[in-house]
Amino acid sequence: MPLQKLQFRPGVNREGTTLANEGGWYDCDKVRFRSGYPEKIGGWAVETYATFLGLCRSLWNWITLKGFNLMGVGTNSKFYVESGGIYYDITPIRLNTTNNTTFAADTSAPFSAFITVTDAGASSLQAGDFVTFSQAVSLGGNISAAILNQEYQIQTVLTGTSYTIVARAAGASINGVNFTVNTTTSTLSFPVGTTLTNGATVTLVIGAGAPGGLNYTTTYYVVNAAGTTCQLALTSGGTPITLTSQGIGLQALYFTVESNASDSGNGGGGTDAAYQVNTGYPIYTIGTGWGAGPWSRSTWGSATSTGFGLQLRLWSQSNFGEDLLFNPRGGAIYRWQPGSGAVPAYGTRGTQVSGTYTPTQVNEIMVSDSSRIVIAFGANDPMGVGAPTTLDPMVVRWSAQESYTDWDPTDITTQAGDYRLSHGSEIVGALQTRQEINVWTDAAIYAMQYLGPPLVWGFTLLADNISIASPNAMATASGVVYWMGVDKFYVYSGRVETLPCSVRTYIYEDINRDQFAQVYAGTNEGYSEVWWFYCSKNSNIIDRYVIFNYLDRVWYYGTMDRTAWLDTPLRQYPVATTGKNLMVYHEAAVDDGSTNPPSPISTYIQSSDFDIGDGHNYGFVWRMIPDITFNGSNTSGTTTTNPEVNFTVRPRQNPGSAYSASNSPAVQSAPAQTYNTTTTYNVQEFTEIVYTRIRGRQMAFRVSSNTPGTQWQLGTPRIDVRPDGRR
C-alpha cells in the first residue's frame, strides 16, 4: 500500500465534529500557520524583570523630539512612563491637603503594623488608593520620620476623613523575631540560644486585625537553618511551598512592613498629604452600575452613577505633539510633558487639563491626526444647564483646533463643538483609521470624518444592530477594521460584514461574558495576524487568545495571559503585558522569557480524525516518515543542542469511542504491545524513519513540543498503512 500523506487544510476548525472535519486541524495551543503549514509561535523576552503595580490595560508608544522612546503604561493602580525597562510613576495627584493630617499608631500586641491617619481635608477615599506624606515626624519605636515621609497605600477606609496604612520598617520585630526579606525567601532571626534544624516547623501567631481577613496563625517549614537564622517556606500538607516576594506569604502577612511603635503620637500634626487619582478595579465587578450585568446590563460604562474609581480601570492615551494626553475611563483628561531637558522629566507627574469648558468626566480621548483636535467620546458638558458634571455616554465632544484646553463651542473663531449619537445607549470605543474615525456604541458603528468649519465633523451610520465586546476589542490591519462582538466577529472594509470564524462556537461557549470588558485586540503585522485576548468561562483574568490570519484567512487559538498588546513600529517587536505585571516582547525569542531563566513553551496541534480507507477496514501503521524543520531553534549555548518534537498518532475504532480504546479485544504482539494504544514518538532534526505499531479505523495526528530552545514548522509527514482485518 503506498505511503499516505498527512496533509491537512490550514487553520483550526471547531464548527463540526472531529470526523466531519476530516482533512483539517481540530485543536491547538501556541501554534500559528505560515504559508499554510503549522509552526510554533515565536517566544517572548523581557528587557528587564522589573514589574509595575496593577494590571496593565493600556499601552502607547511615542518618541520625543530628543529621540527618547517612551511607553505609556496604564494599570488599575498607577500610570507609568516606561523607558529602557524602567517604570516612572507619573500618576496624577487629585488632592493635596496641608497641615490637616495626624497619625495614631496601633500599639496592641503582638505588633503594631497599622497606623490610623486622620486628614480633615480628605475626600473620596478608597481602599487601595495611594497617598504620599511630607512634613511628618516620628511616632516612636521603629516608626521614624524617614519611614512616614513616603508613599503609602490605603488599607481600610474608616470614615470620610480617616483610614489605615501599614507602617514600613526594615527588620521589624514581632514577638522577638526579626524579619528581613530578600527577593526570593523570607529570613527570620531568632534570639540567641534558639536551636534550629532543617525540616523543623515554626508556628507564628501574627495576630488579628490585618487586612484581608486571613488566618494569621501560620506554620512554616524550615528550609535552611544557620545559627540563629533560618529561611522558611509555607507548608501545605507537609510539603514546602516556596515563599517568594510575589507570593501570598509576604504579601498577605506583610512581613516587610510591620513595625512596633512605643507611643501614639500625632506625627507632628502638620503633615501634608498628596492623594493620587483613585485606583480602579483589576477586573469587572457585577452590581456596581446603572444596569448591573453584562452589556446592556453592564457596569463598566457606568461612571455616571458610581464614580470611575469603582470600575474596571481602562485608560486611553494619545499624543498632542510630544506631550502625552491620557484619561482613565470616566475621569478627567491629564497631560504629561517630557520637558526640554537633556532627559525627559521622569520625576514629574501628570496634571489635569483645565481650560475653557474642558470636560472633567470623559470615557475615552483621541487626538485627530488630520486636524490636531482632541476628541472626547462620552463626556460631561461643563457649560450645560442643570447637570454640568453629569457624563453623557452618547456625546462626542471636541476641542478647538491646535488646543487641548479650549472646549468652548460658543466661540465661532474656533472649531470646538459636540454631537450626540442616536443609536445605542453609550459609546463603547473609537479607533482612528484611514480618512475616518470609527465610533462604536453598544448597538451601532459610525464613521466620523473631518469636514472643516462650520460643521467640523460629520457622522455616518455604517451599521445598526451590531455589538462589540469591549472598548479595546477592535484593531485595524492593512486598512481593514476587525472587532470582536458579544456573539461573533465583524469586519469593516468599506461595509460592515460578519467575519466568518471556524472556531466561533468553541470561543463563545468558553468565554466569561461577565468579563467582556477585559477583551483586548491587537495586530501582529509581521505574521498578518489579529489577536484577541479574553477570559475563559471559569476565569476572571485573561487566560485565552484567538487569532485571525487575514493573509491565509484562517483561525487558531490557545492559552496566554496578556492584559494589553501594542504592535508598534517604534520598537523592534510587538509589546504586551502579562498578568504577572511584566512587559514582554513577542517574537523576540524562542522560549518564555518572562521567567528567569527562560522556560520552554508547551505547544501542540492535533488534526481531526481521518479514516483508514473509507473507515470500513482496520489499518495498521507500521512506520512514519517525518517532515519537519527546526529552523530558528537555539542550537548553541546553554539553552538546547537537540531541538525535538513528539509525533503522536491517536487511533480509535469509531467516532464515539475514546482514543486508544477498543470495543473488541485488543490485538497483541510480542512482547505484549497493544496495537491500539496511543503511542508518542520523539522526532529530532535528523530522524529519518519512525517505526510504529498502531491499529485503528480512524486516527488523529498530533505534534507537540515542550523543550527549551525548540522552534519548528511542520511539513507533510507520511505514514505507511496496511489493511489489518475487516469488521
Side-chain angles (χ1 to χ4, degrees):
M1 188 173 183
L3 293 172
Q4 180 174 333
K5 289 184 177 181
L6 298 180
Q7 189 166 12
F8 305 98
R9 294 184 299 273
V12 174
N13 191 332
R14 297 294 297 259
E15 290 298 286
T17 66
T18 180
L19 190 57
N21 186 45
E22 183 177 10
W25 296 101
Y26 193 74
D27 193 15
C28 70
D29 187 16
K30 300 181 183 65
V31 167
R32 66 161 45 102
F33 285 83
R34 183 164 58 89
S35 300
Y37 292 92
E39 68 178 18
K40 175 187 169 186
I41 67 170
W44 45 90
V46 297
E47 187 170 2
T48 174
Y49 288 99
T51 59
F52 43 80
L53 291 176
L55 290 178
C56 175
R57 303 290 181 191
S58 178
L59 294 169
W60 182 263
N61 191 201
W62 82 104
I63 295 180
T64 68
L65 295 177
K66 291 186 177 296
F68 288 94
N69 194 316
L70 306 179
M71 181 79 71
V73 180
T75 79
N76 66 289
S77 298
K78 294 277 193 177
F79 194 95
Y80 300 91
V81 166
E82 181 271 345
S83 178
I86 301 175
Y87 299 98
Y88 300 94
D89 185 356
I90 67 165
T91 309
I93 300 298
R94 67 172 179 85
L95 176 66
N96 286 285
T97 63
T98 304
N99 296 328
N100 284 318
T101 306
T102 59
F103 299 94
D106 179 5
T107 57
S108 59
F111 65 89
S112 173
F114 304 100
I115 294 176
T116 299
V117 182
T118 301
D119 186 347
S123 64
S124 302
L125 298 173
Q126 289 182 186
D129 284 357
F130 291 88
V131 55
T132 302
F133 300 112
S134 57
Q135 312 302 321
V137 298
S138 173
L139 285 179
N142 288 333
I143 306 178
S144 66
I147 292 170
L148 288 175
N149 285 282
Q150 54 182 285
E151 182 180 278
Y152 288 87
Q153 189 170 21
I154 296 175
Q155 302 298 313
T156 305
V157 177
L158 304 176
T159 68
T161 59
S162 296
Y163 52 90
T164 62
I165 59 176
V166 180
R168 300 187 177 193
S173 176
I174 301 176
N175 284 352
V177 179
N178 295 317
F179 288 76
T180 58
V181 177
N182 58 33
T183 58
T184 56
T185 58
S186 178
T187 302
L188 290 90
S189 299
F190 287 86
V192 176
T194 302
T195 301
L196 301 171
T197 58
N198 293 334
T201 58
V202 177
T203 299
L204 300 178
V205 181
I206 305 301
L214 301 177
N215 182 357
Y216 282 75
T217 301
T218 310
T219 300
Y220 297 90
Y221 183 90
V222 178
V223 177
N224 183 26
T228 59
T229 64
C230 69
Q231 293 179 343
L232 303 182
L234 288 169
T235 62
S236 175
T239 302
I241 304 174
T242 301
L243 182 64
T244 71
S245 60
Q246 298 296 321
I248 189 173
L250 294 182
Q251 289 187 345
L253 299 181
Y254 291 92
F255 286 158
T256 59
V257 295
E258 292 164 338
S259 286
N260 286 324
S262 60
D263 60 48
S264 58
N266 63 15
T271 302
D272 300 338
Y275 296 90
Q276 297 176 23
V277 171
N278 292 119
T279 57
Y281 285 173
I283 63 173
Y284 164 84
T285 303
I286 295 177
T288 59
W290 55 269
W295 260 116
S296 63
R297 305 167 297 283
S298 175
T299 71
W300 56 260
S302 54
T304 55
S305 62
T306 62
F308 70 91
L310 297 179
Q311 306 309 309
L312 170 69
R313 174 52 50 82
L314 301 176
W315 296 85
S316 54
Q317 309 180 52
S318 196
N319 282 120
F320 196 89
E322 68 171 350
D323 294 353
L324 177 68
L325 297 182
F326 58 104
N327 155 247
R329 191 173 184 87
I333 303 172
Y334 299 93
R335 178 188 63 161
W336 182 77
Q337 296 177 288
S340 58
V343 296
Y346 297 124
T348 62
R349 294 184 178 272
T351 57
Q352 183 173 339
V353 173
S354 60
T356 307
Y357 299 123
T358 303
T360 57
Q361 293 185 27
V362 176
N363 275 344
E364 184 172 339
I365 63 166
M366 180 185 297
V367 177
S368 167
D369 287 337
S370 62
S371 60
R372 288 266 290 181
I373 290 175
V374 182
I375 307 169
F377 300 94
N380 68 312
D381 183 2
M383 66 176 297
V385 178
T389 60
T390 300
L391 187 150
D392 184 344
M394 285 292 287
V395 74
V396 180
R397 196 176 305 282
W398 57 87
S399 72
Q401 192 171 31
E402 298 291 341
S403 174
Y404 51 80
T405 59
D406 184 0
W407 297 70
D408 184 1
T410 65
D411 187 350
I412 62 174
T413 64
T414 73
Q415 297 186 45
D418 59 77
Y419 184 88
R420 195 177 195 279
L421 305 181
S422 58
H423 289 247
S425 62
E426 69 172 316
I427 296 173
V428 180
L431 181 67
Q432 195 159 199
T433 63
R434 57 179 184 179
Q435 299 181 345
E436 66 183 21
I437 297 172
N438 292 137
V439 183
W440 286 261
T441 72
D442 51 3
I445 177 175
Y446 288 82
M448 178 178 173
Q449 294 179 315
Y450 181 67
L451 305 177
L455 297 177
V456 186
W457 292 98
F459 295 83
T460 303
L461 180 65
L462 298 177
D464 202 357
N465 196 28
I466 58 97
S467 65
I468 187 168
S470 80
N472 294 310
M474 68 289 283
T476 179
S478 299
V480 179
V481 179
Y482 305 88
W483 74 93
M484 183 181 192
V486 298
D487 53 10
K488 61 181 178 180
F489 294 87
Y490 296 88
V491 58
Y492 170 59
S493 58
R495 65 178 181 178
V496 177
E497 299 177 289
T498 296
L499 181 62
C501 178
S502 61
V503 295
R504 173 184 172 273
T505 302
Y506 175 83
I507 297 301
Y508 284 101
E509 285 185 351
D510 185 34
I511 195 169
N512 188 339
R513 294 178 178 272
D514 290 338
Q515 299 299 328
F516 264 137
Q518 295 189 47
V519 171
Y520 207 102
T523 62
N524 190 347
E525 288 278 1
Y527 292 88
S528 304
E529 296 170 338
V530 180
W531 294 53
W532 286 273
F533 300 95
Y534 64 95
C535 302
S536 62
K537 181 181 293 184
N538 298 317
S539 176
N540 284 327
I541 58 175
I542 290 177
D543 60 347
R544 296 284 192 274
Y545 70 86
V546 59
I547 298 175
F548 175 63
N549 185 312
Y550 52 85
L551 181 63
D552 293 341
R553 304 197 68 78
V554 297
W555 293 83
Y556 32 100
Y557 58 80
T559 58
M560 197 176 293
D561 65 335
R562 299 294 183 267
T563 60
W565 178 283
L566 182 65
D567 190 11
T568 169
L570 304 183
R571 299 200 176 184
Q572 188 174 359
Y573 302 103
V575 183
T577 53
T578 74
K580 297 180 181 178
N581 315 106
L582 277 172
M583 182 182 293
V584 298
Y585 292 87
H586 274 256
E587 317 301 339
V590 175
D591 297 319
D592 176 2
S594 66
T595 62
N596 190 13
S599 55
I601 297 175
S602 180
T603 180
Y604 72 88
I605 186 167
Q606 181 171 310
S607 75
S608 297
D609 287 1
F610 56 90
D611 287 330
I612 302 300
D614 288 328
H616 58 285
N617 282 338
Y618 276 93
F620 177 60
V621 181
W622 67 278
R623 66 172 177 169
M624 181 187 307
I625 300 177
D627 181 23
I628 192 168
T629 177
F630 293 96
N631 293 338
S633 297
N634 290 340
T635 57
S636 61
T638 59
T639 305
T640 184
T641 55
N642 293 305
E644 60 184 30
V645 299
N646 290 321
F647 280 9
T648 304
V649 180
R650 308 186 70 188
R652 59 181 173 183
Q653 178 177 333
N654 294 302
S657 63
Y659 286 112
S660 68
S662 175
N663 294 329
S664 60
V667 178
Q668 301 288 331
S669 68
Q673 179 180 6
T674 303
Y675 282 19
N676 69 332
T677 57
T678 299
T679 309
T680 298
Y681 303 94
N682 182 265
V683 175
Q684 298 183 3
E685 186 172 7
F686 300 107
T687 301
E688 295 185 22
I689 299 177
V690 174
Y691 291 98
T692 66
R693 299 181 69 85
I694 304 167
R695 181 177 184 267
R697 270 200 180 119
Q698 289 101 34
M699 298 182 185
F701 176 66
R702 179 185 177 103
V703 182
S704 61
S705 67
N706 191 26
T707 54
T710 297
Q711 181 67 39
W712 55 266
Q713 184 183 34
L714 185 68
T716 309
R718 292 169 291 169
I719 56 175
D720 206 341
V721 186
R722 71 183 186 208
D724 197 45
R726 179 185 177 93
R727 300 199 57 228

